[in-house]
Amino acid sequence: MSGSNVWSRSRERLRRFPELLAQCADEAAVYGKCVAATTTGKQELKKDVCAKEFEALKTCFTNAAKKKTR
Amino acid sequence: MSCRGIQKLLQGAGSGPAAWSRTPAASCCCRLRSGPCRALSGPGSGAGPGSGSGSMNVFNREMKRRQKNWAAVLQDGHQYDYLREEVGSRVADRVYDIARSFPLALDMGGGKSYIAEHLSKEVVQRLVLTDVSQQALKLGRRSEIPTRSVVADEEFLPFRENSFHLVVSSFSLHWINDLPRVLSEIHRVLKPDGVFIGAMAGGDTLYELRCSLQLAQSEREGGFSPHVSPYTAVTDLGNLLGRARFNMLTVDVDDVQVHYPGIMELMTDLQGMGESNCAWNRRSMLHRDTMLAAAAVYKEMYGNPDGSVPATFQILYMIGWKPHESQAKPARRGSATVSFRDLAKVSRPDSADQS
C-alpha cells in the first residue's frame, strides 16, 4: 500500500522509540534492575511487582514524546 | 523470530488465498543460460507415505512466504544481509573442506543465494536454487556458477531421487514444520555418496530477546505468550540425521553474537531479514507498555558497558553423507590385530599402531 495509512503512521511513531527511550535511561535502568532482581531473589515475578518503577519510566517516556512533537 | 508488535504490515492485506496446497509448486525461471536443460522434475513427493510421526504444523508457511517476499523487495534490504552472508560463507567453507567436485548441487531455501558467490566453477559445476519466495529468487545475487531457480517449498522437493551430488541449506531449516520428513527428502534426492551440508538457527538463538519479552510481559500483563519461534536443540540434530539414514555425521555449533543499539533495532533487523515469527501460536499484538518494559529489561540484564545489547544466534552446522560402499565402515567385531594390553609396551610414537 502506498500513501499514509494507519500502519505507516504507527510505524513512524514506533521509529522514534529508541531516541525517546535514550532520554529515560535512568528510569529504564531502575525498572530493569527491579525485574532482574525477581529472577534471582526469593520474590516471584508476578503482575505489577515493579509497577512503581514502570510508572516512572512511562511518565518520563510520554513526556519525552510530548516534548519532541512538532 | 521477531514479534511484529503494532506493525501489522504483513497481515493478509487481501493477498492470495491462505490455503496451503500440498502439491509442489515448481515454476522454473532461468537466470543464466545453462546449456542443455536437464529434466529434473520427477513425480511429486507429496503423496508419499507419511514417515515417522504425524505431520507437525508449527509454522505458517504461507506467512513465511509472504514475509520473505516482503523482505526481498525492501529498498535497502541489503543492509540486513549480514547474518545470512556470514552463515553462507561458513557453509561454503565446509563445501571447500570436502576435496571433491560436484557436478550438480542444490541450494535449499537459498533465497538470494549467499553460498554460490563463494564457490567456484571447479567445485560446483551447476546449481539449482530453491526457495518459497519468488521475489528473493528474482533479486538474487550473481555468481559464476550457472544457476537455475525453482520456486519450491523445502518440504516438497520436486526432484527425482538420486539427482544431486551436493545439497546445501543455509539458515532456512528452522522454519520447517516436519524436519524428519525434510531430511528424508534430502536423502532421497541425493546420489549415493552425496553429501548434505546444512546450517540452521538452533537452541539458544535469541535467548536474550525471548527472556526479556517473557519477563516484561509477566510483570506487565501477568502472563506471557511465545514471541520467538521454537528451535531445534543440538542434541536432537544427530538423532534426526541418523533417522534419515545419513552416514558419517558431523554436527557443530557456532555462536554468532551481534550487538544492537537496542531491542527495537534488533526486531527491525529480524523483520528486514525475513525472519519474523510465523508460528501459528504467536500473538499478533505486543502491548506498547510491554515493549517499553522489555527494552528496559533487555538493556539492564544483557546490556554491554557501552550501551549496546547483544543478540546471540546459535547456528548449528550439520554434514551428512548418503551411504555408499566406498565409505569407511566400522570394523567387524573380533577383527582387531593388536590388543589394548600392549598399549603399555608402546615406547616410541612411531612404533606399532594402536588399534
Side-chain angles (χ1 to χ4, degrees):
Chain A
M1 323 170 177
S2 49
S4 165
N5 49 51
V6 62
W7 290 292
S8 58
R9 281 195 293 273
S10 62
R11 221 181 303 161
E12 266 314 308
R13 275 201 298 270
L14 211 55
R15 223 162 276 177
R16 298 174 53 210
F17 188 103
E19 62 186 65
L20 296 175
L21 184 59
Q23 300 173 30
C24 302
D26 301 326
E27 284 88 347
V30 168
Y31 175 74
K33 282 198 180 56
C34 170
V35 174
T38 62
T39 61
T40 51
K42 291 197 206 61
Q43 195 181 29
E44 228 182 69
L45 186 64
K46 286 200 285 276
K47 187 167 176 351
D48 289 334
V49 155
C50 301
K52 233 183 13 244
E53 289 84 352
F54 184 75
E55 280 313 313
L57 173 59
K58 189 151 178 206
T59 356
C60 167
F61 192 81
T62 36
N63 289 339
K66 279 193 206 135
K67 260 192 304 218
K68 291 222 56 172
T69 42
R70 33 273 181 258
Chain B
M1 295 175 207
S2 156
C3 51
R4 295 178 0 241
I6 313 175
Q7 305 168 23
K8 293 179 158 208
L9 0 112
L10 301 167
Q11 201 88 77
S15 60
W20 136 256
S21 72
R22 295 200 56 102
T23 50
S27 68
C28 234
C29 35
C30 270
R31 284 176 65 228
L32 301 175
R33 269 126 299 282
S34 63
C37 194
R38 195 173 115 181
L40 291 168
S41 285
S45 59
S51 58
S53 54
S55 57
M56 308 218 330
N57 203 353
V58 180
F59 300 113
N60 182 350
R61 295 291 291 170
E62 176 58 37
M63 192 74 224
K64 179 48 59 185
R65 179 195 298 252
R66 293 214 289 263
Q67 288 168 352
K68 286 196 164 173
N69 277 331
W70 176 84
V73 296
L74 277 179
Q75 289 288 43
D76 45 2
H78 55 270
Q79 65 176 308
Y80 304 115
D81 282 346
Y82 49 90
L83 190 60
R84 285 189 201 267
E85 279 170 1
E86 179 65 31
V87 177
S89 72
R90 293 188 193 193
V91 173
D93 272 347
R94 283 164 170 80
V95 175
Y96 270 119
D97 281 344
I98 303 174
R100 259 204 212 181
S101 151
F102 302 100
L104 188 61
L106 169 67
D107 187 348
M108 276 176 34
K112 291 192 191 156
S113 172
Y114 299 90
I115 307 179
E117 58 205 34
H118 302 281
L119 299 177
S120 67
K121 265 230 187 84
E122 290 86 51
V123 181
V124 172
Q125 270 86 66
R126 278 190 315 175
L127 179 68
V128 177
L129 182 62
T130 65
D131 198 77
V132 279
S133 151
Q134 193 165 13
Q135 299 298 332
L137 291 176
K138 275 197 202 151
L139 301 165
R141 304 153 143 217
R142 307 260 149 229
S143 78
E144 60 174 24
I145 307 172
T147 310
R148 169 151 284 169
S149 308
V150 178
V151 176
D153 193 317
E154 289 93 329
E155 306 198 23
F156 305 104
L157 293 178
F159 302 116
R160 212 180 294 147
E161 52 260 20
N162 302 334
S163 358
F164 294 102
H165 300 89
L166 167 71
V167 175
V168 289
S169 173
S170 166
F171 216 56
S172 78
L173 291 174
H174 50 275
W175 294 115
I176 301 290
N177 273 319
D178 195 348
L179 198 51
R181 186 217 165 95
V182 170
L183 291 176
S184 14
E185 281 286 289
I186 296 174
H187 183 92
R188 179 184 68 88
V189 301
L190 267 179
K191 278 187 149 67
D193 211 24
V195 60
F196 163 57
I197 304 180
M200 63 189 279
D204 288 338
T205 304
L206 294 174
Y207 73 90
E208 301 103 339
L209 181 64
R210 201 174 341 123
C211 289
S212 318
L213 282 170
Q214 188 176 321
L215 290 171
Q217 202 164 19
S218 301
E219 200 276 324
R220 282 289 90 216
E221 298 178 29
F224 64 92
S225 60
H227 291 279
V228 180
S229 64
Y231 299 111
T232 316
V234 188
T235 43
D236 293 337
L237 210 49
N239 294 335
L240 285 171
L241 287 169
R243 263 175 69 186
R245 298 190 306 269
F246 281 104
N247 238 0
M248 303 199 295
L249 307 173
T250 309
V251 177
D252 60 287
V253 182
D254 222 343
D255 272 346
V256 177
Q257 221 182 42
V258 186
H259 296 274
Y260 294 92
I263 198 178
M264 299 305 295
E265 287 83 354
L266 165 62
M267 294 201 283
T268 320
D269 270 22
L270 289 172
Q271 199 173 47
M273 282 185 225
E275 295 290 313
S276 313
N277 195 1
C278 67
W280 288 108
N281 64 357
R282 72 192 189 284
R283 291 258 307 277
S284 53
M285 242 280 282
L286 187 65
H287 204 272
R288 74 183 88 157
D289 280 356
T290 309
M291 252 197 268
L292 182 56
V297 172
Y298 201 144
K299 184 155 269 180
E300 177 55 37
M301 283 186 65
Y302 304 106
N304 298 320
D306 65 354
S308 62
V309 294
T312 309
F313 295 91
Q314 194 180 58
I315 317 284
L316 314 178
Y317 295 93
M318 65 201 103
I319 304 181
W321 294 77
K322 184 152 177 176
H324 189 252
E325 307 84 52
S326 66
Q327 290 166 359
K329 289 210 179 18
R332 202 171 37 86
R333 276 178 73 108
S335 63
T337 50
V338 186
S339 164
F340 265 118
R341 255 177 266 127
D342 303 331
L343 205 57
K345 300 193 196 128
V346 173
S347 50
R348 282 193 330 241
D350 53 10
S351 62
D353 55 350
Q354 302 102 345
S355 81

